[in-house]
Each structure stands twice: as C-alpha cells, then as structure tokens.
Amino acid sequence: MPGCKDTCGNNVTIPYPFGIGAKCSVNEWYTVDCNSSKPYLSALHLEVFGIDLENQIVTVNMQKLSNCSQVINSVDLGRSPFLYSTSHNKLVYEGYCGSAFMMDNHGSVLTGCSTTCNNDTTTNTIVIIDTNRCYGTNCCQTTIPRYLKSYRMNLTGLESQLGGDGDCGSAFLVAQDLFDQDLYDEDNFSRQSSAGEGSKSYVSTALLWTFSDRDKDKLTCCDGYSPYNRKVDLGNGTIMDTWKCELRSLGNPYLADGCEDDDPVVTEECASCQNKGGYCRYYTIYYIDGKSHNNLICDGANESKTSFGVILGYTNCIF
C-alpha cells in the first residue's frame, strides 16, 4: 500500500494484501514482521519465502517431521485464512526402509508412501538421500488428497527389523513447483540432505490464502474490477468460498492503481499470425486444480491457426 515498505531483506517482496506492519495489510493474518531481514507471518510465526498473487499462494518455511515414538502434529493453521495447498505441495518421505502416513485429526489415513528395504544389514552410517530420484529408494513422494488446516504424521522405521538402528527418517510437505524445478539452496531445502538431520531441517511449504465475505468488502481490484468468487474443495462434499482479484497485467491486482501496462512479448506463433494480416488473442484456461494455460487464437488472418489446446466446460472453478 502507499507509504508501506514492500521488501524485507534482499530477496523477498511483500505485496498487498500482505504488508509489513499492521496498517499495511488487509487484516491481521496478512501482517508481516521483518526480523533480522527475514519476513515472518506475524500471527503464525512462519518465515515467508515468497508470495504468488496469481495462484494465491504464500510459501513459508516449515520444519520437517521426524519422530518414531509418537504421531506428530503439523503446524495447525486453525482459524487462519490459510490452507495446505493440494495443488502446490507434495508429501515427501526421506529415509531408508520406512514409511510415512498422513492422517486427519480423527486418525483416518489420507495418503502415504514407503521406501524400499534390502538385505544389507551392515550399514549404520548416515544415508545420503538424492531427492532428485525420489521414487522409492531412500526417498518417496506422493500427492496430498485435499486442502487441510492441519494433519498428523505417522512415521515407521523398518530398519531395526533388518539389524539396523531403526531410524525412521523424516516427512514433510514441500512446495511442488520448487521441488520440480530444483530451485533449493542451503537456506531452503537442499537436494542432497541427510536422513539423520530429522527435525533440524526445514523446507518450503505452499499455503493457499483465502478471503472471507468480510474481507471482500475491503478489496479494491485494480482498474475498477470487482473481486470474483472461487471455490475451494475441502473434501467430503465441503466447499469453501474465497475471493480473488484477477491478475490482468503487470503490477498488483489488489491495489486500485496497481495495474501496470505491459508491452506484450510477441511469440513466434503470434508473429506468424500477424504476418498473415491477423491479430493475436489469448484465452486463459483454468483447470480444476487452479492452474492455468494460455491458449493463442489468431483472428482475421488469411489462414486461421489455433495453438494446440483443449477447453473444458465447467460450472465452478475449484482450486
């Protein structure tokens, strides 16, 4: 907002509806404190790594879960407007010969995965895990089924049955885009991590941020547009309403004067369309998981051409 800082440290930008200081955010849940050049969600005491206005995602730093002796509770998002994002997280288990099962608060298993075992019982050293090959050998990954406010994790180490020390490894939700693109560094989540690190390690986790009807009245989208309704499927037939300002150009869609003109990048396909006397239009296709794809349409050309894409009809957009 005008008069508010928008950066904390050298790398993290804090755009509205988040804000550094209580008077710079849409409400108290979106207030960010800047401590030692690191931004933290004030109400949840979670370090912020990034904010994605288009996908309504805030990426935060969360501790890995590692404890064989009891069921471990995640960070409870409770009354906050945040949810663990189904579309933007993976459940990852690191550990030799073990498993991790995510459960709801009633003890029902939601999802899980296991790593392989072999007959080598002579290894008592720390196992180095290459999460770039996270498909069952020392590391496994799986999707999470639905949006959650909290979850419980049950870790099992099977190594003791084979003569080892019984270490159960660690489990965590990790932001999928970063995981897939291998963008981790030593301050976040390293591709080469140790099964013995356990709860001392942290990873980036993606939270979906939402707006209630009360928040909607405080939102003024750029260029005079009104916020529009989106649906979040919480599972078991429960649907949650949230509100969103559409990102129509550069800038911040949540500020009245936040839109900026963007000089469009002319792609090779669009240039070909223009050379035939046509002009380019882009349709954004929103998929059921909240992600999108831009589809090029060439209008008025001598030879009509449309880029490959499939448009699906639906009644509700669900993140």
Side-chain angles (χ1 to χ4, degrees):
M1 294 183 68
C4 296
K5 289 180 58 179
D6 64 354
T7 58
C8 180
N10 297 324
N11 300 317
V12 184
T13 300
I14 308 297
Y16 190 80
F18 295 83
I20 300 174
K23 296 182 179 180
C24 293
S25 61
V26 67
N27 63 43
E28 67 275 9
W29 293 107
Y30 291 80
T31 299
V32 173
D33 292 331
C34 191
N35 297 329
S36 302
S37 298
K38 292 183 178 180
Y40 291 83
L41 286 177
S42 176
L44 295 174
H45 307 290
L46 295 173
E47 183 181 354
V48 175
F49 281 134
I51 296 170
D52 182 343
L53 293 177
E54 181 176 5
N55 291 305
Q56 245 172 277
I57 293 293
V58 55
T59 306
V60 297
N61 201 21
M62 285 197 175
Q63 197 173 39
K64 293 182 180 181
L65 304 177
S66 179
N67 192 330
C68 289
S69 63
Q70 61 185 9
V71 175
I72 318 159
N73 294 323
S74 70
V75 173
D76 189 355
L77 301 178
R79 298 181 298 105
S80 80
F82 304 108
L83 300 163
Y84 290 100
S85 173
T86 301
S87 303
H88 294 86
N89 286 313
K90 289 181 178 180
L91 171 62
V92 174
Y93 170 70
E94 292 179 324
Y96 167 71
C97 193
S99 61
F101 292 97
M102 174 186 285
M103 302 180 295
D104 63 20
N105 291 331
H106 303 291
S108 299
V109 174
L110 300 174
T111 189
C113 67
S114 301
T115 56
T116 59
C117 304
N118 57 44
N119 293 325
D120 182 4
T121 63
T122 62
T123 301
N124 290 317
T125 59
I126 293 176
V127 178
I128 298 298
I129 296 168
D130 180 6
T131 54
N132 194 37
R133 297 177 176 84
C134 192
Y135 299 104
T137 303
N138 296 332
C139 178
C140 63
Q141 60 176 298
T142 187
T143 57
I144 62 175
R146 59 189 174 90
Y147 293 92
L148 301 168
K149 284 285 188 179
S150 64
Y151 60 90
R152 308 174 74 189
M153 194 69 69
N154 186 6
L155 302 180
T156 302
L158 303 180
E159 190 178 359
S160 58
Q161 298 179 15
L162 301 175
D165 60 10
D167 181 18
C168 63
S170 60
F172 46 90
L173 291 189
V174 58
Q176 180 171 336
D177 292 342
L178 296 178
F179 184 84
D180 292 341
Q181 295 171 23
D182 194 17
L183 295 180
Y184 298 97
D185 56 35
E186 61 182 3
D187 294 324
N188 192 348
F189 169 68
S190 173
R191 279 290 185 187
Q192 295 292 334
S193 59
S194 168
E197 288 175 347
S199 60
K200 296 180 181 179
S201 298
Y202 292 80
V203 293
S204 291
T205 303
L207 306 182
L208 174 69
W209 42 277
T210 63
F211 288 123
S212 66
D213 291 343
R214 181 182 61 180
D215 297 319
K216 178 197 172 212
D217 297 333
K218 300 178 183 178
L219 297 178
T220 304
C221 302
C222 66
D223 289 349
Y225 290 102
S226 298
Y228 64 98
N229 181 263
R230 297 294 293 267
K231 305 287 185 181
V232 181
D233 186 358
L234 301 180
N236 298 325
T238 304
I239 301 294
M240 174 182 172
D241 286 331
T242 185
W243 297 91
K244 181 176 182 177
C245 291
E246 184 175 354
L247 187 64
R248 299 176 182 271
S249 62
L250 292 178
N252 189 331
Y254 291 91
L255 295 173
D257 57 353
C259 289
E260 300 176 7
D261 293 332
D262 181 19
D263 294 329
V265 176
V266 179
T267 64
E268 182 178 349
E269 188 173 13
C270 184
S272 175
C273 170
Q274 292 173 347
N275 290 336
K276 297 173 183 177
Y279 64 93
C280 305
R281 293 186 295 116
Y282 289 91
Y283 287 103
T284 300
I285 303 170
Y286 291 95
Y287 295 103
I288 199 71
D289 62 358
K291 297 184 179 180
S292 61
H293 167 71
N294 288 327
N295 194 45
L296 172 67
I297 304 296
C298 182
D299 283 336
N302 295 331
E303 180 181 345
S304 178
K305 183 178 180 181
T306 302
S307 66
F308 177 77
V310 179
I311 299 178
L312 302 178
Y314 53 82
T315 57
N316 287 320
C317 290
I318 302 178
F319 283 97

